[in-house]
Amino acid sequence: KGEVPTRTRRRNDVVQPRRGHDVREKKKGMKRSTCTWQKDGKTDVRRVVRSSTRGGVGWKGMGKAVPTSKHSYGHGGWEPRTSRCTYVCKGKRRAGVAKAGEQPECPLNDADDGRRTVLASTTPSRDTIREWLYENTNLKKLSGQVLQELANGIVVKKVRSGDVLCREGERPDEIYVVRKGMLETKFFGVQEDVPPSSILMLTEVLREVTSSCSLEACTDAEVWAIPSSYLKELAARKPELALMLSVQLADQLAMLNEKQRSESEKQKVLRRYYVQPTNESFPQISIDTFAGKSRYFQNLRKQLLAAANDSERNHVLVFGEPGLFKDKLAQLIHENSVYCDEPVVMLQCKNIKPGAPELFGDDNNPGLLKSVGRGSIILNNVQDIHSDIVDTLFSTLDSAMCDKNSDDCQARLLFISEKTVPALSNFPLTRIKVPPLRLARRDIPHLVNFYLQEYTKHRGLEKVPTITPEVMKDLEAFDHPDNFAGLFYSLRRAVIQTEASPEGSTIGRSTLWFTRKPEQNVRLNLLDQLPILRKFLRSDIWPERINFDFTLYAFAAIVLILWFGPQERDTNFALNFFWAWWWPGIFLVYLGLGRVWCAVCPFMIYGELVQRWRLSKGAVLRKWPKNMDAWGPWFLFWMFAAILVWEECWDLPDTAYLSGWLLVLITAGAMICSYFFEKRLWCRYLCPIGGMNAMFAKLSVTELRAKQGVCTAECDTYHCYKGGPAEPPEGLETNGCPLGSHPAQLKDNKDCVLCMECLKACPYRSVEFNLRVPFADLLEKHNATASEVSLMFLLLGASYLHRLPALLEQFGLQDLSTEEGILSSLGMHMLVSSFVLAAPGLLVYAVDSIFVSGLRMKRGGDDPVSKASSLRKPATFVELAYGYLPLVWAITLAFYTELGLSEAFRVLQVAGRTIGLSPEVAERLPGFSLQDSDTLAVLQTLTLMTGLALSVFITKYLSKMSWKECLPHFFLLGGLTLEAWLLDIPGAFWGSWT
C-alpha cells in the first residue's frame, strides 16, 4: 500500500517529483507538502502526507488525472485518483496502490539496488538555488531568466555515504549538481573525488549514451538533480542554454579523451606486470584457506586481514621459506582491502634495471608508481634489490608531492622475501612471517582436502580421490621442505596417477612414497605387522602385572637367599642366577630390545611403591633438580667405578651376601629418590645399571618412536609423557613417561625403557615400535656426551679387570697376586684395580691426541687454508669414541659367555644344593657345562670378531676421515680385541707357547 517518490531500476522512464513547500496538517502528528510531477510536458500537483509517528509516506491526489509510468506506476497511461509504485519495505520489494485519503505505510527511501535517494527534508527556495548556481558553477554565463527556469526543475536529494547514483554501463536520465558532500567516480578502475559545485552526467544525458564510470557517494551529500526531459525541453526553448551545453559537452569530451589517453598509457605500462587474481588462478586461494586449527595459521589469517584493513595503508613485508605462496598472500592483502578495484602488479626485483625506470619512469613511460594509482605493487624477492633503490623508493612515496588528494605515488608496496632484508630494517613496515608447513602440521588434512577438491574440479573429474589414514599420517609427519608448493605438486601427481590406477581413486603409500623419511624406509613397524603384539603391550600385563604380581616378590626372595643361603656360587641358586644368567642375558637383550630391562627392573618397583604411598598421604612430589643432565651422569660414572672396584677387591661374584647388599644399595637409591621426586629420577640420571643400559641400547635393532607430524597436528594434551585420563578414540589412562621423554622427540634409545606408557596413552596411533638396522642410533643423530664415553671405557677396563690374574701373568707379574704379593694389601689392590679400569680409555685418548688431533685442528681452524679445504672436519674425540661401543659390548659379552655356558645350565643342580640336597643327589639333577670346550672358544672368538668388524666400520663412518687417517684407531681396536681374546682363551696361545 502506498506510493514512494523515488527512482526505480530504470531511471530513464520514471516520474520525478519536485518538492514544494511544507504546510502543517491540522491533524496531530501529520505533515503535508505539495509536489509537482512532470512527464512528457504534463504536470499534476499532488500532496505528500508524512506521518511522524509511523514513519510512512502516502499520497493524496489533487487533480482529476494522475500521471503513470509503465515502469514506475504500473501499466502506463492515466488513472484517475489512483496510482501504483514499487517500493522496498523491510528489505523486500513490493508493489501497491494508493488512493486518496489512505494512511501511508511504506518507508520513504528505496533501498533497492544500492540506491537510497531521499527527498530533502528542508528544500531551499528557487531563488536561493538560482543564486547558488550563479555563484558556484560555470552556469553563470546564462541569463537570470534561464537560471531561474533551470532552478525550477531541480529536485533536491539527500544521499548517504556508499549510495550509488549511477553504475558503469547504465544510461542516466538526469544530471547532477553536487551541493554538499563528496562524491566519487570510478573510471577504468581509477577513483577520482568529485567536490561540491561539480556538474555530472551531462555528457551522457546529452549524447543519450551509457555511463563510462560509476558515481558513488563518499560521504553524506546533497545533490541537485535535473531530469533529462526537462533539460532538453528547456534547451529547445532557450538557445543560450543549448549553446552553453554544447560548450560544456565539448569541454567534457575533451577531458574524457584526455583521461582515456592517460589511462591508455598507464594500461600500457601496467600490462606487462599484471598478475592473475587469486580467485581465477589455480589453486583458488583465499583468506579462508588459512582458517585452520593451528595457532600458526590462525595468526597468519589475522595478520593478513589486519594488513588488508589497515586504514593507514602501511607497506607490508611478507617473508618466509620458499614454496609458501607469499606472492598470493600479498595479493590477498590487496584483494581484501578497500582498494581491491585498483590494479595490482608484480615486479621481480632481480629484473630491475639500474635507476629503476620500471618504478620511477623515464622519458618513454611514467613508471609503475604513477601508473598504478592507489593500487599495490608487489616487489618479489626484494632481497635482490639494491639498497639505494629502496631509499629512493621510500623517499619518493614520503615526499611532499605525494599528497593524499592525488593519485600519483599513492601506491602501496608489498615486499616479498625469503629472509630478512637489511635494506628494509630502517623503514616502518607491517611484517608478516609466513610459518613453514612443518609447524602447522595439524592443518595439513585441511590443505590436502582443499587442494584435492580444487584440482578435481580443475581437471573435470567426477569423484574426489580419497587418502588412506596411513598416508595422511605420513603427510603430517613429513617435513615438507618445499611447503605448500611441494605438497600441492605431490598431490597433483598423485591424482594423475590414481586416474590410471586399477585400485581406483584412492591415494596410498605406493603413490606418495616420498612422504616417509629416508630412515623410515629401512624400518618396519611391528605394531602394524603383529596386532597381537600391540594388544599385549597395551594391556595391563605389560609391565604392571609382571612387576607387581611377580618381580616384586621374586626380587625379595633372591635377596633373602643371597643373605641367608650358601655363600658360594656353585651352591647358591640366587648368586648363580645373578652372575651366570642375568649378566650375559642382559647383554644379549641389548641387541634385541635395548633398555627393556628397566621396564621390569626390581629396583624401581620398590621406588614406585614408595611414590604411591607418598601420594596416598597427599604429598606433593618435587620436580627434578635443575642441571641434572650436567652432573647426574658423572655421579653415575663414579658410582659404577666404585662398584667395580668393590666387586674386584671383595670378590662379589663368589660372595653371596655382598652381592645381596649390592642389590639392596641400588634399590635404596631408587627408593630415596622416589620419596622426594616425581617419576624416575634415579633411573634416568643416577642408576649405574640404568646408565649402562642406556648406552648399550643404542645398538638395538628395535626402537620406539612417534610420528612427530601426527603429534604436532593432532595432539594438544601430551598425555604420553605428562599422564592423564583416557582420551578417545583409544587412549588409555596413564601416568605418562616415567623418564619424562616425549616419544616424538627421541633421537636415540637412551631415554626409552619400553614401558609402553606412551603407546597406551596415544589415541592417534602415532607411536611406532620399529624394527631397524642395528646400531642405527650411532649412524644417525644421537646425543654424544663425554660422561657416556667415559662410562664406556670404564666398562672396557672392567672386562680386563675381571681377568686380572691372567693379565698380570701376561706381563710376568703373577707374583703380585700371591698371598705375599702386593695385591694382598687392600689399598694396593684397589689402586691397581683403578689403574686397570682407567688404562683402556687413557690409551685411546692418547692415541687420538697424538695422531688425530693435529689433523682435526688443521681442517677445523679459522685460517684461510682451513676454510678453503674441501675435506670435512674430522669428528671430535667424543663423537669418534662411539665407534668403540660395539667392541666394548663384544668383549664384555665374551667374558660373561664363559660364566653362562659353564655354570648357567647347572642351575637345577645349584638349586638342589641351595635347599640342602647332598652333592651326590644334586649332581643327578639335569644340567651340563661347556667349560674348557672348543664350542666356548669358538663362540667367544666369533663374538670378538663381530665386535671388531662393527667397530671398524662405525669408527670410519663417525670419524669423517679417510681409511688411511683412521689407521691409528684401527690398530688400537685390533690390539684391544687381541688382548681380550688372549685373556678369555688362554689355552689358545699362552698355554701352547709356554
Side-chain angles (χ1 to χ4, degrees):
K1 298 180 180 180
E3 297 176 356
V4 181
T6 159
R7 298 177 300 167
T8 59
R9 187 181 298 273
R10 300 190 180 182
R11 290 172 295 142
N12 61 328
D13 190 9
V14 65
V15 178
Q16 297 289 347
R18 187 159 54 86
R19 189 69 178 272
H21 62 279
D22 292 338
V23 295
R24 289 197 175 274
E25 182 90 82
K26 291 182 180 181
K27 186 176 179 181
K28 185 178 180 181
M30 303 295 292
K31 293 184 179 180
R32 176 177 295 173
S33 61
T34 59
C35 284
T36 302
W37 290 79
Q38 297 181 347
K39 181 180 180 183
D40 299 331
K42 301 177 182 180
T43 62
D44 179 39
V45 179
R46 303 174 62 100
R47 287 182 294 174
V48 181
V49 180
R50 302 189 63 195
S51 172
S52 61
T53 58
R54 301 183 63 182
V57 174
W59 289 95
K60 275 189 177 182
M62 296 186 61
K64 295 183 178 181
V66 179
T68 62
S69 169
K70 178 179 180 181
H71 303 292
S72 299
Y73 296 118
H75 302 289
W78 296 86
E79 290 186 14
R81 307 181 64 81
T82 303
S83 63
R84 290 181 179 272
C85 73
T86 302
Y87 62 92
V88 172
C89 184
K90 294 183 180 180
K92 298 181 179 180
R93 175 173 288 276
R94 302 176 182 178
V97 178
K99 296 182 179 180
E102 286 186 341
Q103 183 70 22
E105 295 184 359
C106 65
L108 181 63
N109 61 307
D110 181 2
D112 178 56
D113 201 21
R115 301 185 176 89
R116 296 177 292 185
T117 308
V118 184
L119 293 178
S121 59
T122 56
T123 307
S125 64
R126 300 301 160 179
D127 293 337
T128 302
I129 294 176
R130 178 181 58 78
E131 293 176 0
W132 190 89
L133 291 175
Y134 179 79
E135 294 176 357
N136 297 281
T137 67
N138 54 6
L139 299 177
K140 62 181 64 177
K141 297 180 181 180
L142 298 175
S143 63
Q145 182 182 0
V146 176
L147 277 177
Q148 185 63 50
E149 292 193 33
L150 196 61
N152 293 337
I154 285 180
V155 179
V156 181
K157 300 180 179 181
K158 288 283 189 177
V159 293
R160 302 172 186 173
S161 176
D163 289 351
V164 180
L165 297 175
C166 182
R167 297 187 184 277
E168 184 179 355
E170 293 183 351
R171 187 175 178 181
D173 56 2
E174 55 191 1
I175 67 172
Y176 303 101
V177 180
V178 183
R179 172 67 176 84
K180 296 179 181 178
M182 292 287 294
L183 272 66
E184 182 182 65
T185 61
K186 293 184 179 180
F187 182 77
F188 283 100
V190 179
Q191 297 178 351
E192 183 177 352
D193 294 335
V194 180
S197 304
S198 302
I199 301 176
L200 305 170
M201 299 299 164
L202 179 61
T203 303
E204 289 80 357
V205 168
L206 294 179
R207 296 180 60 201
E208 297 183 353
V209 296
T210 59
S211 175
S212 60
C213 63
S214 61
L215 182 62
E216 182 180 343
C218 296
T219 62
D220 292 346
E222 180 181 325
V223 178
W224 293 350
I226 305 176
S228 60
S229 58
Y230 181 80
L231 182 64
K232 292 179 182 179
E233 186 270 335
L234 184 61
R237 292 188 291 107
K238 302 296 182 180
E240 61 175 310
L241 178 60
L243 178 61
M244 192 276 299
L245 293 177
S246 300
V247 174
Q248 291 289 330
L249 178 61
D251 293 342
Q252 290 196 10
L253 287 175
M255 185 182 302
L256 181 61
N257 290 333
E258 179 63 24
K259 285 184 177 180
Q260 287 180 338
R261 186 192 63 81
S262 176
E263 290 302 321
S264 178
E265 292 180 357
K266 291 181 179 180
Q267 294 299 324
K268 184 178 179 180
V269 175
L270 298 176
R271 192 176 299 117
R272 295 175 51 195
Y273 306 102
Y274 271 128
V275 292
Q276 190 177 15
T278 55
N279 60 352
E280 298 178 6
S281 61
F282 177 79
Q284 297 181 2
I285 293 179
S286 65
I287 289 288
D288 294 333
T289 305
F290 303 95
K293 299 180 181 179
S294 69
R295 64 180 184 274
Y296 299 99
F297 268 24
Q298 293 174 358
N299 292 337
L300 176 62
R301 187 174 185 270
K302 292 178 181 178
Q303 289 179 305
L304 293 175
L305 289 175
N309 298 326
D310 186 6
S311 59
E312 299 294 332
R313 298 193 75 211
N314 292 321
H315 307 299
V316 181
L317 171 63
V318 182
F319 64 99
E321 297 179 2
L324 289 173
F325 291 163
K326 297 182 290 295
D327 53 343
K328 293 185 179 295
L329 298 181
Q331 281 184 253
L332 290 177
I333 294 175
H334 171 83
E335 293 174 358
N336 287 272
S337 67
V338 295
Y339 295 94
C340 57
D341 293 333
E342 302 292 340
V344 54
V345 296
M346 183 185 298
L347 180 62
Q348 298 293 337
C349 292
K350 64 179 180 180
N351 297 332
I352 296 179
K353 300 177 183 177
E358 297 89 350
L359 291 171
F360 307 114
D362 52 22
D363 297 337
N364 298 324
N365 68 85
L368 289 177
L369 287 179
K370 293 185 177 180
S371 301
V372 82
R374 289 178 175 156
S376 301
I377 302 177
I378 301 175
L379 295 175
N380 197 12
N381 294 322
V382 71
Q383 68 272 7
D384 298 333
I385 198 172
H386 197 276
S387 59
D388 294 340
I389 297 179
V390 176
D391 296 338
T392 307
L393 187 61
F394 278 96
S395 62
T396 302
L397 292 172
D398 295 338
S399 61
M401 63 176 289
C402 301
D403 60 288
K404 297 297 180 182
N405 296 325
S406 172
D407 283 343
D408 291 339
C409 301
Q410 296 298 324
R412 189 182 193 184
L413 301 181
L414 305 175
F415 300 100
I416 297 176
S417 175
E418 294 182 358
K419 55 185 178 181
T420 304
V421 183
L424 299 176
S425 58
N426 297 327
F427 300 100
L429 296 173
T430 300
R431 290 172 168 81
I432 300 177
K433 182 177 182 180
V434 186
L437 191 54
R438 62 181 176 273
L439 295 181
R441 297 180 190 270
R442 66 171 53 189
D443 291 321
I444 289 179
H446 165 70
L447 292 175
V448 169
N449 294 329
F450 158 76
Y451 186 81
L452 288 179
Q453 293 176 359
E454 286 288 317
Y455 192 62
T456 301
K457 181 172 61 177
H458 177 72
R459 290 184 63 87
L461 302 178
E462 297 180 357
K463 186 177 180 181
V464 179
T466 59
I467 289 190
T468 61
E470 295 80 9
V471 174
M472 186 64 76
K473 292 184 181 297
D474 290 343
L475 287 173
E476 291 175 340
F478 190 54
D479 287 338
H480 297 283
D482 296 324
N483 295 296
F484 301 141
L487 175 63
F488 291 170
Y489 173 79
S490 304
L491 293 175
R492 180 186 309 181
R493 185 185 63 180
V495 171
I496 296 175
Q497 290 182 354
T498 53
E499 289 184 58
S501 174
E503 300 177 357
S505 58
T506 301
I507 300 177
R509 277 181 172 171
S510 59
T511 305
L512 292 177
W513 53 268
F514 66 92
T515 56
R516 294 177 61 84
K517 297 180 180 180
E519 57 269 20
Q520 290 178 323
N521 294 328
V522 292
R523 282 167 167 78
L524 179 66
N525 187 6
L526 297 178
L527 300 179
D528 291 340
Q529 304 299 321
L530 302 173
I532 190 174
L533 177 62
R534 172 185 288 273
K535 183 178 180 180
F536 168 73
L537 294 178
R538 285 175 54 85
S539 67
D540 60 349
I541 299 177
W542 180 264
E544 179 74 12
R545 289 175 56 185
I546 295 177
N547 286 342
F548 291 95
D549 292 349
F550 172 74
T551 309
L552 177 68
Y553 306 104
F555 180 73
I558 288 177
V559 172
L560 291 176
I561 294 174
L562 290 174
W563 278 351
F564 303 108
Q567 295 299 301
E568 292 79 15
R569 195 165 64 240
D570 59 348
T571 58
N572 191 305
F573 161 77
L575 194 62
N576 177 277
F577 177 82
F578 181 43
W579 292 101
W581 279 91
W582 186 83
W583 273 103
I586 196 174
F587 272 82
L588 290 175
V589 168
Y590 288 148
L591 282 186
L593 296 174
R595 199 176 173 179
V596 70
W597 166 255
C598 294
V600 294
C601 174
F603 309 140
M604 199 59 208
I605 293 176
Y606 287 89
E608 289 187 10
L609 286 178
V610 173
Q611 280 186 341
R612 295 180 183 184
W613 172 73
R614 287 269 290 161
L615 292 175
S616 66
K617 298 298 182 180
V620 178
L621 300 180
R622 300 178 185 177
K623 300 293 183 181
W624 291 353
K626 296 182 179 180
N627 300 324
M628 285 298 297
D629 288 319
W631 62 267
W634 288 109
F635 172 86
L636 179 155
F637 167 80
W638 289 110
M639 186 176 181
F640 211 133
I643 291 175
L644 291 174
V645 173
W646 183 28
E647 174 189 343
E648 169 63 25
C649 296
W650 275 267
D651 195 16
L652 263 64
D654 288 318
T655 309
Y657 80 95
L658 290 180
S659 296
W661 280 113
L662 172 62
L663 299 179
V664 171
L665 176 66
I666 300 176
T667 305
M671 296 175 66
I672 293 173
C673 285
S674 299
Y675 182 88
F676 293 102
F677 300 103
E678 63 180 7
K679 295 185 181 291
R680 293 189 177 186
L681 173 69
W682 175 262
C683 294
R684 177 158 182 171
Y685 293 110
L686 305 177
C687 178
I689 303 299
M692 179 182 67
N693 295 345
M695 179 179 62
F696 286 117
K698 297 181 178 182
L699 303 176
S700 175
V701 297
T702 59
E703 66 178 8
L704 186 137
R705 299 290 187 270
K707 296 180 180 179
Q708 191 176 42
V710 176
C711 297
T712 305
E714 302 291 342
C715 181
D716 54 7
T717 60
Y718 309 109
H719 288 168
C720 58
Y721 81 100
K722 292 169 58 177
E727 184 179 1
E730 59 179 47
L732 304 177
E733 181 180 2
T734 66
N735 294 323
C737 178
L739 299 189
S741 301
H742 194 294
Q745 299 175 352
L746 292 174
K747 294 183 179 180
D748 50 42
N749 288 345
K750 177 181 179 181
D751 294 327
C752 179
V753 299
L754 297 181
C755 64
M756 299 300 168
E757 291 293 305
C758 54
L759 177 64
K760 298 176 183 179
C762 181
Y764 307 107
R765 294 208 169 193
S766 174
V767 179
E768 298 178 332
F769 185 52
N770 295 322
L771 184 66
R772 64 176 189 177
V773 176
F775 50 82
D777 287 344
L778 302 181
L779 303 180
E780 300 168 2
K781 294 181 179 179
H782 73 107
N783 295 320
T785 61
S787 58
E788 195 170 56
V789 170
S790 301
L791 179 62
M792 177 184 65
F793 286 120
L794 180 70
L795 293 175
L796 179 61
S799 300
Y800 299 110
L801 181 61
H802 293 151
R803 291 290 191 180
L804 183 59
L807 182 65
L808 294 176
E809 185 180 356
Q810 279 187 357
F811 294 95
L813 302 175
Q814 57 272 19
D815 295 337
L816 298 180
S817 59
T818 61
E819 295 182 359
E820 294 81 10
I822 60 174
L823 294 184
S824 60
S825 170
L826 180 61
M828 292 300 300
H829 196 173
M830 294 176 62
L831 182 62
V832 172
S833 299
S834 302
F835 174 78
V836 174
L837 288 174
L842 295 176
L843 178 62
V844 174
Y845 182 76
V847 170
D848 184 86
S849 300
I850 295 173
F851 296 99
V852 183
S853 60
L855 182 64
R856 192 178 290 123
M857 295 178 59
K858 181 179 179 181
R859 293 186 186 172
D862 295 331
D863 56 289
V865 177
S866 300
K867 293 182 178 180
S869 176
S870 59
L871 299 176
R872 294 188 300 172
K873 178 182 177 181
T876 63
F877 172 74
V878 173
E879 296 171 343
L880 184 147
Y882 278 91
Y884 287 75
L885 185 60
L887 181 63
V888 175
W889 168 83
I891 292 177
T892 307
L893 179 60
F895 169 75
Y896 285 110
T897 300
E898 181 179 358
L899 279 177
L901 295 182
S902 61
E903 299 182 14
F905 297 104
R906 299 179 59 191
V907 63
L908 293 179
Q909 298 173 355
V910 176
R913 297 190 185 98
T914 304
I915 62 176
L917 296 179
S918 63
E920 294 78 9
V921 176
E923 287 295 331
R924 297 175 185 175
L925 295 176
F928 64 92
S929 174
L930 296 179
Q931 188 175 10
D932 300 329
S933 66
D934 295 336
T935 302
L936 176 60
V938 170
L939 290 176
Q940 289 179 307
T941 302
L942 289 177
T943 301
L944 293 174
M945 292 300 103
T946 301
L948 175 62
L950 292 177
S951 286
V952 168
F953 169 75
I954 296 176
T955 301
K956 170 62 179 67
Y957 180 85
L958 297 178
S959 66
K960 303 176 184 178
M961 298 184 297
S962 65
W963 288 95
K964 181 178 180 181
E965 293 167 340
C966 292
L967 284 178
H969 282 286
F970 293 161
F971 283 121
L972 190 55
L973 287 169
L976 293 172
T977 305
L978 178 62
E979 178 65 16
W981 183 74
L982 294 176
L983 293 176
D984 289 336
I985 314 174
F989 179 78
W990 288 106
S992 60
W993 185 79
T994 55

